[in-house]
Amino acid sequence: MSKLRVAVLGAKGRIGSEAARAVEAAEDLELVAALDQHDTLETLTASGAQVAVDLTHPDSVMGNLDFCVGHGIHAVVGTTGWNDERLARLTSWLEASPETGVLVAPNFSIGAVLTMKFSQSAARYFESVEVIELHHPNKADAPSGTAGRTAQLIAAARQEAQLPPQPDATVTGLEGARGADVDGVRVHSVRLRGLLAHQEVIFGGEGETLTVRHDSLHHSSFMPGILLGVRRVVSTPGLTYGLEHFLDLS
Amino acid sequence: MSKLRVAVLGAKGRIGSEAARAVEAAEDLELVAALDQHDTLETLTASGAQVAVDLTHPDSVMGNLDFCVGHGIHAVVGTTGWNDERLARLTSWLEASPETGVLVAPNFSIGAVLTMKFSQSAARYFESVEVIELHHPNKADAPSGTAGRTAQLIAAARQEAQLPPQPDATVTGLEGARGADVDGVRVHSVRLRGLLAHQEVIFGGEGETLTVRHDSLHHSSFMPGILLGVRRVVSTPGLTYGLEHFLDLS
Amino acid sequence: MSKLRVAVLGAKGRIGSEAARAVEAAEDLELVAALDQHDTLETLTASGAQVAVDLTHPDSVMGNLDFCVGHGIHAVVGTTGWNDERLARLTSWLEASPETGVLVAPNFSIGAVLTMKFSQSAARYFESVEVIELHHPNKADAPSGTAGRTAQLIAAARQEAQLPPQPDATVTGLEGARGADVDGVRVHSVRLRGLLAHQEVIFGGEGETLTVRHDSLHHSSFMPGILLGVRRVVSTPGLTYGLEHFLDLS
Amino acid sequence: MSKLRVAVLGAKGRIGSEAARAVEAAEDLELVAALDQHDTLETLTASGAQVAVDLTHPDSVMGNLDFCVGHGIHAVVGTTGWNDERLARLTSWLEASPETGVLVAPNFSIGAVLTMKFSQSAARYFESVEVIELHHPNKADAPSGTAGRTAQLIAAARQEAQLPPQPDATVTGLEGARGADVDGVRVHSVRLRGLLAHQEVIFGGEGETLTVRHDSLHHSSFMPGILLGVRRVVSTPGLTYGLEHFLDLS
């Protein structure tokens, strides 16, 4: 079986260089181009790349995708900075190239994606649920984007199941003790030296609790998700937003 | 809306008496009969029960179900002692009463069922996985039935995804340190005073781990699953084996 | 060896009745009296009690102790409502009866006491530390008294070791996400159906974390501490405040 | 205040190079020499080093220490390969240089040392205790040396307190499920991709559990212990074996 021909854009960055190594190490993939910001996009066509992995910058990604889609090169995109307008533009390019697929994902860690997915599934079955996220103390935002998004998904699932508000008899307390309120779901942010990125979702019902916890110990945790995206995007025309659509979760 | 009329068989037992109370407390259910071993099954028909919850004994359950199915009364069964022969017999009764539904479930804890379900879903995405179950020290078997079953489901999912055996460089060690081998998945059994029933499934991949943990702190944890079964079984003709089929896990 | 003769005051209360049973079950102890609020304190002397366990009410405890100390009966006190004035009064009674011992303890759970003790010991060795407490949703205060006290002890130990403030780069966030600030130590309060009383202290340093966690799953967890108090108080004249003084923690 | 003058031996190794950087970064320490295997020991005296950190090899460490002690240079030793004979030889050298101090430690992670210490302290107060250690799958031994040592310390503390054997009603089971038996304490070894080095000691008593957990996420976790050793060894003449002696654990 011939290998899938893959290019990495942003190959000198921290994540990009790891992605290039991961493609090289995969038996079914071939790294045919590793572009930095000074390289010309024609390298992609010249190298015969079938899939481009974009790990560049919000300033570059739209130009890169315009070129890729225009030339029928599938793309897996970890670059940030997406909004509705950008997604609409990308969609219109894909309509003009109906056999090309693009995966845009805010998080390539399979563990993080599964944590969100399982939390959504479990939400309707428990009276109580709270989210605890734990990160290194250099993080500027609290709660983390992933924790906020997880809480929103849980809140939406509770609402769809017509669950009442969560029980909470707190009448006296110190400010902040009960965490931040995200659509009725409490989120707690812990910051400790020694940690990287961790999240725990705890559901509580009569006599039992269910906990889903994700521990990210190294940035290499994005690689399996990127490789999964590369393998799947070639047979998934159009725009896919979010890695969860490539996980078969029955 | 009229309430669903529910009978409890085995209503003087530990779980049965809790179930009777739980039915009484539910706004959409009405407890119309609470039978002990000395009561006659005709009480079921006399009370107009639509659903019977059987929490009795392996010696009584088949007679009870023969009567229920014969009279078009749906049933939710937590009594143990099921095997292929018994299930076949129950199925044949149900064929003769095609509008009647029976749910037989080895575990009514929603948390335990979700733990198994999520473990199956996650299995194909991680290189490594082990199961740790923790129980009170009066438990006679190790590993627990639930842990053994969870490991088998994970092993089957790994095989279906054609994953290789798990990495393990252990060359020297004390006997038993690496746990029990269930179809290639290691299972560890902890026994400690103070615990009730707990299970942790830990998945490990490049740079990350995903943990699904269920803590059962009280036997009341079976009640939400029993009530869910009661509400669903009336519109699910035939035999359903396992509470997971009544959870909408998309 | 003759058994130690023990009386329980408040023996019809929830904790008191458990304590009476625990004394009866202990091989080295003999339950010689179990008093309710209607019983006369002379029963204590008549029964030859050497130690009284007081699990009554703030309104009764001072009268009970006045009688006990006056008659040379040692006491183990779990009743709440202590303040400086009450402790001073008790101390003056004990000065007049120099061979009698009284243990007053706000928490008889050995696990809770060890968690505080270990947290104090570890505090000086880590750059970061936060406290997470998790309780049932009927609890009125947040954070719990034990969590607040633990944070204060940690803060005092950090100050004594002249540690700088904890690192925290948070600049944007939702209100409450970073928890309550107790003397510079962040405390997070989780409320979930299914839980009883749980506390986790997480220390973080360069490349590592240390976690001390206490899970209280049943009120019977107070019994071993009460029995330990009974056995030790007979050879510890004067007032002892806090069970930790009876734990040999070298 | 003048800075303490520190040399690092083995400064090109993985841990050694981190130690050199950590010394340079500490405000109260000055890195005066960083020796590799080709450098001569006279560099130590020429640089005026007061403390040498030895992170070399079992083949080199005795020669290095002979030189250091002979020249009144204190030493902090993380190199492995110690046995009774080597320790006796080192002790005799120190007797001839009574003002010099040497710290030899099998583990410089403060978290690991505290976990062992707290486990020893708690052991006598709980009916049950088990150890779970979790490591990356490339580890050759199971259980880990630290887990085995922790279990031995716990077993010794239980014996000293004359505790009976742990309760365990297991009668049927799969081989290995209950872990390895280390002096009556069960030890479970988990191996998962994504982990580094983690250990959990769980104590169980009536109605409660106490957990002490150490997570090592990066090898940099040894640095604070090494720096602590450097600062303390200059005022601790003679041989100190184990970092725990430099932690003030009251």
Side-chain angles (χ1 to χ4, degrees), chain B residues 82-113:
Chain B
W82 290 92
N83 54 31
D84 287 348
E85 183 271 325
R86 288 191 155 202
L87 289 171
R89 242 194 306 159
L90 174 56
T91 303
S92 73
W93 297 338
L94 284 162
E95 281 164 1
S97 178
E99 300 195 352
T100 308
V102 174
L103 167 67
V104 175
N107 197 328
F108 275 97
S109 150
I110 291 176
V113 171

Side-chain angles (χ1 to χ4, degrees), chain B residues 159-232:
Chain B
Q159 194 176 20
E160 200 190 310
Q162 297 182 302
L163 295 196
Q166 300 198 37
D168 183 356
T170 311
V171 287
T172 65
L174 292 179
E175 205 185 309
R178 292 288 291 113
D181 184 327
V182 176
D183 299 353
V185 176
R186 297 284 170 166
V187 181
H188 309 269
S189 298
V190 176
R191 296 293 172 264
L192 293 169
R193 181 73 69 214
L195 293 179
L196 186 55
H198 315 256
Q199 178 169 315
E200 194 165 276
V201 183
I202 318 178
F203 294 92
E206 187 59 43
E208 67 177 346
T209 60
L210 175 71
T211 304
V212 181
R213 180 178 172 117
H214 178 239
D215 290 272
S216 187
L217 293 96
H218 196 273
H219 291 107
S220 59
S221 61
F222 298 132
M223 295 310 126
I226 288 175
L227 298 190
L228 177 71
V230 165
R231 290 173 184 126
R232 289 286 184 100

Side-chain angles (χ1 to χ4, degrees), chain C residues 109-111 114-115 118 121 124-126 206-215 217-218 220-221 247-248 250, chain D residues 109-111 115 118 121 124-126 206-215 217-218 220-221 247-248 250:
Chain C
S109 151
I110 290 176
L114 289 177
T115 298
F118 293 162
S121 293
R124 83 190 68 182
Y125 298 110
F126 291 93
E206 187 59 42
E208 65 176 346
T209 61
L210 176 71
T211 304
V212 182
R213 180 178 174 116
H214 179 237
D215 289 273
L217 294 96
H218 197 273
S220 59
S221 62
L247 304 182
D248 306 308
S250 58
Chain D
S109 151
I110 290 177
T115 298
F118 293 164
S121 294
R124 83 189 70 181
Y125 298 110
F126 291 93
E206 187 58 43
E208 67 178 345
T209 61
L210 175 71
T211 304
V212 182
R213 181 178 172 115
H214 179 239
D215 289 273
L217 293 96
H218 196 274
S220 59
S221 62
L247 304 182
D248 305 310
S250 58

Side-chain angles (χ1 to χ4, degrees), chain C residues 233-250:
Chain C
V233 78
V234 296
S235 53
T236 315
L239 173 63
T240 302
Y241 188 81
L243 184 65
E244 59 273 26
H245 301 289
F246 281 7
L247 304 182
D248 306 308
L249 301 166
S250 58

